[in-house]
Amino acid sequence: MNKIGCLAIMLVIMTVCLVENDAAFPSNRNSSPDGFWFGTQNLGCMILLGKKGKRAAPSRGTLDVSHRVIYYRGHVFEQRPVGPLWHNTPEWDSTAKCPVTWERNAAGRSKRSVQSVINFTNGYTRRFGGYNVVFNNCHHFANRVSQFLSGELN
């Protein structure tokens, strides 16, 4: 591919990243206060941004070409190459340029406290190891948070 083609692709990705976002949290979150939702962000956008859980716990594919996050009681939990993070404000850093697409319905419900999920997130790397694009990526993290919220992991 020539330089002009590469530049055109980068401009398309950057344009997608600049879309206004008013859905940093699921819009219907108040309908299920104890629910948790999966959401995704455009992986290309997240890469560009980085350069400047009685049934089985809900889970999603681990090799999707997107960045997966999970919402629970006013907080968003995610894993990036720098490690697991959590946010409790609708204006968390990547949503301004990389909008989140939330699933329509809650994936499950939980009685866990937000603090217990924060503690799980803070101890994630010690328990499961560091980020690995194939074996311990954002999808694995979101699935493990889902398992924690569902009571399958402590």
Side-chain angles (χ1 to χ4, degrees):
M1 181 177 288
N2 62 29
K3 289 181 183 179
I4 293 174
C6 289
L7 181 60
I9 290 171
M10 286 187 64
L11 286 173
V12 168
I13 291 171
M14 288 171 54
T15 301
V16 169
C17 291
L18 297 175
V19 172
E20 287 293 321
N21 177 33
D22 59 358
F25 291 165
S27 61
N28 61 342
R29 66 188 178 276
N30 294 331
S31 68
S32 184
D34 60 346
F36 59 91
W37 284 255
F38 286 99
T40 58
Q41 291 176 284
N42 179 288
L43 185 59
C45 185
M46 291 300 295
I47 289 169
L48 285 177
L49 183 69
K51 291 185 179 179
K52 274 181 39 174
K54 215 174 201 201
R55 63 183 175 94
S59 66
R60 303 299 180 263
T62 59
L63 294 176
D64 292 347
V65 183
S66 62
H67 176 65
R68 181 135 349 249
V69 299
I70 196 161
Y71 170 89
Y72 181 62
R73 293 187 181 189
H75 292 68
V76 174
F77 300 88
E78 66 172 326
Q79 183 183 27
R80 295 187 190 174
V82 297
L85 305 168
W86 59 272
H87 316 277
N88 62 353
T89 174
E91 293 83 31
W92 44 287
D93 63 347
S94 66
T95 60
K97 295 184 180 177
C98 304
V100 179
T101 301
W102 295 104
E103 294 180 356
R104 171 171 268 183
N105 299 310
R109 298 191 187 305
S110 181
K111 301 280 186 220
R112 300 264 190 184
S113 69
V114 169
Q115 187 60 53
S116 70
V117 185
I118 290 170
N119 293 344
F120 178 84
T121 300
N122 290 342
Y124 185 86
T125 301
R126 282 188 309 277
R127 186 170 181 184
F128 299 102
Y131 181 90
N132 179 287
V133 72
V134 175
F135 300 110
N136 195 20
N137 60 36
C138 58
H139 305 289
H140 293 96
F141 172 80
N143 287 338
R144 287 178 177 137
V145 171
S146 174
Q147 289 174 317
F148 179 77
L149 288 168
S150 298
E152 289 184 14
L153 279 177
N154 286 315

